[in-house]
């Protein structure tokens, strides 16, 4: 029997080039091109939790924003849950959830419950199903006592739990998380990671996570893709990465730092680099 | 229907959220009282020096009520351009763009809900002050109803102007200067400082061919001088300008989306 694996994300030679104008004298401006994402290709099966990592400016956020349809690539192709993101952004929005680090979707002066009610209308949720889903999320994310408190009075950890719960209200098949634990204390980070991992394992939610926190990667993701200078430099399971002999005795954080550093190491030729990291 | 329902829900929550700014409401009331008192003194002196009982049909009482109504429109106008600036500059626009929503319509609905609440709260205070300074206006009920009919269109028109300025953030990043010019134009060319009827004839022709007249002067004039013909004229002009600015905003937003380069990453 052949098992058919449904792909949540399919990326082929995705490339994004920005035009940057630099002033040269009073009137003259020079146009230069900056390659943010350089011919990246990968797939993510449905139900997988993937960590998409890299140093600052590596092209992670640009990629995630192309995959959410916010940015249009310069060339290449991508399918997310069968949609071309930048062409079908509105239709695809019903199937994906997104949490962008410190950018809140909750109304600051109102209780999170009010934003939940609003999201139910934005996503055209059936009132009965919405109440059921909301109750389930409130229970799992322990939001009961917080639901009627204005968001401005919540701690960052409580607010992030409410943010993630809000992004799951419409039962998305894919959850995009861009630095979800940034600024959180250890307890809040731990709690949020557990919730995301549980949702991924129990509900089959595909998770696409970008983070600088290796704790996020180890706790949530089963696979890791590393991108640097816009290019994909590693694609492996988190376990394999941890067990590689060249990283023996290293923490995941040190291993990642080593990989990021290798990209800059001109003493290694490309063949050696390939042998070490890809 | 569900399309309208979601934007109605956004307007509702924006209005509700705005009630949280109790401190801002208090400071607005204080500012309004001072402004109206200064204008009242100015106009009293002007009428006394000219020895006139009215200017272009405006009695001192009409002028005070006109100013009170015009001030309510101006002071309730939400500051939407800094929000768009911030959305573009910080990348927060991403939060809105990943939802099944149109960003300009989301901002319109949010702006509308906020302005309705701000206008209602400001109007209560402004009307009390005007009542104290000038007494009950003539045709209050008819004037109020006529003004209410054109106010929603005035709010939308005002929003579209600010939206066009705000969308310039995709090119300039900071639109504070442009927004300041736009708000001063609305004050002067819209007839807040001086009813348009008091301008020289040639100026009036020019000013009435601009959208600003239908944001401030149209509703404020109908409030003090309700007239069915004028009501129709204001409504037609508002709808035409909404169509023109709406199409312009849609075109600019489409172009802006192609330029989008969110911060971070």
């Amino acid at each position: 029997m052949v098992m058919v694996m449904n792909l949540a994300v399919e990326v082929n030679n995705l490339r994004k080039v920005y035009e940057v104008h630099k002033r040269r004298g009073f009137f003259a401006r020079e146009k230069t091109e900056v390659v943010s994402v350089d011919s990246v290709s990968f797939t993510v099966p449905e139900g997988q939790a993937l960590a998409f990592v890299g140093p600052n400016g590596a092209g992670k956020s640009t990629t995630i924003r192309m995959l959410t349809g916010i940015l249009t690539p310069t060339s290449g192709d991508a399918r997310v849950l069968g949609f071309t993101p930048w062409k079908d952004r509105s239709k695809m929005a019903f199937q994906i959830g997104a949490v962008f680090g410190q950018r809140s979707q909750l109304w600051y002066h109102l209780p999170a419950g009010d934003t939940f009610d609003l999201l139910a209308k934005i996503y055209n949720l059936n009132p009965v199903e919405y109440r059921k889903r909301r109750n389930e999320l409130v229970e799992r994310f322990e939001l009961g006592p917080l639901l009627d408190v204005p968001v401005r009075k919540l701690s960052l950890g409580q607010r992030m739990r409410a943010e993630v719960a809000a992004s799951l209200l419409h039962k998305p098949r894919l959850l995009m998380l861009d630095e979800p634990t940034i600024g959180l204390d250890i307890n809040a980070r731990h709690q949020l990671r557990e919730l995301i991992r549980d949702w991924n394992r129990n509900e089959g939610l595909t998770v696409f996570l970008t983070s600088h926190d290796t704790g996020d990667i180890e706790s949530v993701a089963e696979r890791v893709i590393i991108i640097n200078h816009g290019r994909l430099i590693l694609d492996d399971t988190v376990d394999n990465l941890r067990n590689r002999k060249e990283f023996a005795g290293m923490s995941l954080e040190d291993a990642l730092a080593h990989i990021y550093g290798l990209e800059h190491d001109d003493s290694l030729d490309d063949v050696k680099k390939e042998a070490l990291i890809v | 229907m569900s399309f309208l329902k979601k934007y109605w829900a956004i307007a509702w929550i924006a209005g509700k959220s705005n009630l949280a700014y109790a401190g801002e409401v208090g400071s607005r009331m204080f500012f309004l009282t001072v402004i109206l008192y200064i204008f009242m003194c100015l106009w009293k002196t002007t009428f006394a020096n000219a020895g006139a009982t009215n200017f272009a049909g405006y009695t001192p009482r009409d002028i005070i009520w006109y100013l009170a109504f015009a001030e309510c429109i101006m002071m309730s106008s939400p500051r939407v351009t800094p929000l768009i600036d911030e959305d573009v500059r910080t990348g927060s626009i991403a939060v809105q763009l990943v939802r099944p929503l149109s960003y300009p319509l989301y901002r319109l609905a949010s702006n509308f809900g906020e302005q309705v609440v701000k206008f209602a709260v400001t109007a209560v205070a402004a009307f009390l002050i005007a009542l104290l300074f000038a007494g009950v206006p003539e045709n209050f009920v008819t004037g109020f109803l006529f003004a209410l009919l054109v106010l929603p269109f005035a709010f939308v028109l005002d929003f579209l102007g600010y939206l066009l300025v705000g969308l310039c953030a995709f090119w300039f990043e900071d639109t504070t200067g442009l927004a300041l010019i736009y708000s001063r134009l609305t004050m002067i060319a819209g007839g807040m400082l001086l009813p348009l009827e008091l301008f020289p004839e040639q100026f009036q022709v020019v000013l009435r061919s601009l959208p600003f007249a239908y944001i401030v002067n149209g509703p404020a004039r109908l409030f003090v001088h309700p007239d069915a013909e004028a009501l129709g004229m204001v409504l037609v002009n508002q709808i035409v300008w909404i169509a023109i600015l709406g199409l312009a905003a849609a075109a600019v937003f489409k172009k802006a989306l192609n330029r989008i380069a969110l911060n971070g990453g």
Side-chain angles (χ1 to χ4, degrees):
Chain A
M1 203 172 104
V2 179
M3 267 185 57
V4 179
M5 194 165 49
N6 287 328
L7 293 178
V9 180
E10 207 177 343
V11 175
N12 289 311
N13 290 315
L14 205 61
R15 186 176 159 86
K16 180 73 186 176
V17 181
Y18 290 112
E19 278 182 4
V20 179
H21 296 272
K22 278 184 188 164
R23 210 171 268 283
R24 289 272 179 268
F26 196 72
F27 290 111
R29 293 202 312 165
E30 188 186 39
K31 193 169 79 177
T32 50
E33 289 191 338
V34 175
V35 181
S36 178
V37 175
D38 192 2
S39 304
V40 166
S41 301
F42 62 91
T43 59
V44 185
E46 276 209 52
Q48 189 173 70
L50 169 80
F52 193 72
V53 300
N56 288 330
K60 305 184 298 290
S61 294
T62 302
T63 306
I64 211 170
R65 280 158 186 165
M66 284 193 278
L67 297 182
T68 44
I70 298 168
L71 294 177
T72 305
T74 310
S75 63
D77 187 34
R79 304 284 287 169
V80 175
L81 302 170
F83 297 102
T84 303
W86 48 95
K87 286 181 186 159
D88 309 312
R89 183 161 48 86
S90 292
K91 274 187 253 168
M92 192 183 76
F94 286 97
Q95 306 283 332
I96 65 163
V99 176
F100 292 102
Q102 289 170 322
R103 280 150 204 165
S104 181
Q105 61 176 318
L106 303 170
W107 286 72
Y108 188 65
H109 291 289
L110 298 176
D114 284 6
T115 303
F116 285 12
D117 292 345
L118 174 67
L119 289 171
K121 297 212 170 67
I122 289 174
Y123 288 99
N124 301 329
L125 302 183
N126 170 291
V128 179
E129 279 178 27
Y130 159 61
R131 272 194 292 276
K132 204 174 138 198
R133 178 73 167 175
R134 189 179 74 159
N135 293 343
E136 186 188 358
L137 285 162
V138 165
E139 195 192 323
R140 293 270 292 272
F141 282 74
E142 295 172 29
L143 294 171
L146 311 175
L147 216 55
D148 297 321
V149 179
V151 170
R152 66 173 185 274
K153 292 186 178 169
L154 299 179
S155 70
L156 185 58
Q158 291 168 334
R159 186 170 71 70
M160 283 314 292
R161 284 202 327 262
E163 293 279 357
V164 177
S167 69
L168 293 172
L169 265 178
H170 58 289
K171 294 189 179 172
R173 287 160 62 199
L174 169 67
L175 183 63
M176 301 269 196
L177 298 156
D178 194 2
E179 316 253 9
T181 59
I182 196 163
L184 297 186
D185 65 36
I186 291 173
N187 286 338
R189 251 184 288 170
H190 185 71
Q191 199 178 11
L192 195 64
R193 285 169 189 157
E194 266 189 10
L195 283 164
I196 297 166
R197 189 184 54 210
D198 287 354
W199 220 267
N200 161 251
R201 290 185 189 164
N202 302 331
E203 308 282 330
L205 175 76
T206 309
V207 173
F208 194 102
L209 165 84
T210 69
S211 180
H212 287 297
D213 189 326
T214 47
D216 290 353
I217 301 163
E218 289 184 297
S219 304
V220 175
E222 57 200 271
R223 176 178 160 209
V224 61
I225 286 182
I226 299 176
I227 183 171
N228 201 4
H229 303 302
R231 285 186 299 129
L232 198 153
I233 58 169
L234 183 138
D235 181 353
D236 207 343
T237 65
V238 176
D239 286 339
N240 280 352
L241 179 62
R242 237 193 260 117
N243 296 330
R244 282 187 178 208
K245 63 174 187 300
E246 61 267 33
F247 304 136
M250 281 190 200
S251 65
L252 185 61
E253 188 162 339
D254 288 340
L256 288 180
H258 187 67
I259 294 167
Y260 297 166
L262 279 176
E263 271 292 287
H264 297 288
D265 191 346
D266 295 331
S267 66
L268 295 167
D269 61 27
D270 284 347
V271 179
K272 279 181 187 161
K273 280 185 197 173
E274 292 268 313
L276 270 169
I277 58 177
V278 179
Chain B
M1 267 319 275
S2 65
F3 176 81
L4 283 178
K5 237 164 56 181
K6 68 170 95 171
Y7 291 106
W8 176 250
I10 292 165
W12 183 261
I13 202 170
K16 197 174 165 185
S17 174
N18 209 252
L19 288 173
Y21 295 97
E24 201 212 27
V25 171
S27 62
R28 214 161 52 218
M29 298 304 97
F30 175 74
F31 181 70
L32 187 67
T33 312
V34 173
I35 287 283
L36 281 181
Y37 181 75
I38 293 169
F39 272 112
M40 190 196 68
C41 293
L42 277 172
W43 280 106
K44 261 189 177 169
T45 312
T46 312
F47 272 102
N49 285 345
T53 53
N54 77 74
F55 288 127
Y58 286 94
T59 64
R61 183 173 56 190
D62 290 344
I63 286 280
I64 288 173
W65 277 99
Y66 177 96
L67 283 171
F69 201 88
E71 272 293 348
C72 288
I73 297 172
M74 288 302 295
M75 289 182 74
S76 64
S77 178
R79 288 174 301 165
V80 70
T81 46
L83 296 178
I84 299 173
D85 265 10
E86 197 186 319
D87 281 350
V88 174
R89 219 170 351 95
T90 63
S92 297
I93 197 169
V95 174
Q96 308 304 339
L97 292 177
V98 291
R99 296 199 207 148
L101 284 175
S102 145
Y103 179 75
L105 288 181
Y106 161 76
R107 280 275 163 233
L108 169 64
S110 167
N111 193 85
F112 192 82
E114 190 180 334
Q115 190 160 14
V116 167
V117 168
K118 274 187 172 175
F119 183 87
V121 175
T122 315
V124 171
F127 285 15
L128 281 174
I129 298 162
L131 205 60
L132 192 74
F133 290 161
V136 185
E138 275 180 68
N139 306 314
F140 177 78
V141 177
T142 322
F144 190 63
L145 287 175
F146 276 25
L148 277 190
L149 279 174
V150 296
L151 260 185
F153 297 100
F155 291 171
V156 174
L157 196 51
D158 191 25
F159 164 78
L160 288 171
Y162 276 113
L163 176 68
L164 277 166
V165 171
L167 288 177
C168 293
F170 281 95
W171 287 268
F172 305 136
E173 296 249 332
D174 186 357
T175 57
T176 318
L178 283 176
L180 193 71
I181 293 169
Y182 176 83
S183 77
R184 295 305 174 265
L185 270 174
T186 316
M187 270 186 183
I188 298 161
M192 192 217 86
L193 290 176
L194 197 67
L196 296 190
E197 294 70 27
L198 303 187
F199 280 84
E201 281 284 332
Q202 308 93 297
F203 274 125
Q204 281 190 48
V205 175
V206 175
L207 295 177
R208 286 192 199 289
S209 63
L210 299 172
F212 309 106
Y214 308 100
I215 297 169
V216 185
N217 178 256
R221 185 172 160 232
L222 281 170
F223 178 63
V224 291
H225 293 153
D227 171 68
E229 199 184 321
L231 172 71
M233 196 270 294
V234 171
L235 276 173
V236 166
N237 275 288
Q238 285 179 326
I239 290 166
V240 167
W241 274 112
I242 285 172
I244 293 170
L245 296 187
L247 287 172
V252 172
F253 184 67
K254 201 175 164 192
K255 213 153 178 60
L257 270 187
N258 292 330
R259 281 184 59 89
I260 203 165
L262 300 166
N263 294 331

